[in-house]
Amino acid sequence: MRKEHKHKGWNEIKTNDSWAIFKIMGEFVTGYEKLSKIGPCISVFGSARTKPNHPYYKLAEEVASKIVEHGYGVITGGGPGIMEAGNKGAYIAGGTSVGLNIELPFEQHDNPYIDSDKSLDFDYFFVRKVMFVKYSQGFVVMPGGFGTLDELFEAMTLIQTLKIETFPIILVGKKFWGGLVDWIKNTLLEAGNISPKDLDLFHVVDDADEVIDILNDFYKEYRLSPNF
């Protein structure tokens, strides 16, 4: 019994890490194969905790529907809340509805509005984030929590450091995002930790039509192309 419950040594742990590489590779291969066929899409991010009767849920659904009406598909994290609203709006509008699901100890479960052949499951956050960036032509960021902020700042960092091509990043909800934007301007910029031009990496809007205007204006100048 003692042998069965003994703590793993450093070498045993590192050996397991090496074998995990194959699982990681498998997630990348599956993601690349499936998502390379979906065409241009916009990712919609936001809180998994937003209820269907909340104004932000309804706004996310409207945004997603209009995105589809203008020729794009919609990618979300595949779960409830804002993610469900994004997939629902795309599904009802008859467009491509993609869900990049991840196993979490709470909150996450598949929503019913994802196309059956476009639902992918991930164990690794970093693999999932690569898929969002690689196969999205824009990010629509609804109010959310840590996960939403993670995706937002990941995208802005990659664009700022020229690791990926520029694409629109649109924050929806001026009241919600106002405090963060003020902090970026009054603290980060004032401290010299970002450049004035970095403020151009994102837009802040309040309605679905503004989202579409930004996407359409951007792609009048830039041709659609992969980000990696």
Side-chain angles (χ1 to χ4, degrees), residues 153-167 169 188 192-199 201:
F153 282 107
E154 173 94 2
M156 290 201 295
T157 300
L158 290 171
I159 294 172
Q160 180 200 50
T161 55
L162 305 180
K163 295 300 181 182
I164 64 173
E165 296 179 8
T166 300
F167 62 78
I169 298 174
L188 291 186
N193 294 332
I194 62 172
S195 302
K197 68 178 182 179
D198 292 332
L199 299 177
L201 293 174

Side-chain angles (χ1 to χ4, degrees), residues 42-61:
I42 306 298
S43 285
V44 177
F45 299 100
S47 176
R49 306 183 190 195
T50 305
K51 303 302 181 185
N53 61 349
H54 195 284
Y56 284 139
Y57 183 105
K58 299 180 186 304
L59 179 55
E61 186 178 338

Side-chain angles (χ1 to χ4, degrees), residues 125-134 150-151 154:
F125 265 114
F126 66 90
V127 178
R128 183 175 179 244
K129 288 202 292 183
V130 168
M131 300 304 154
F132 277 122
V133 174
K134 182 173 176 59
D150 181 39
E151 297 290 354
E154 173 94 2

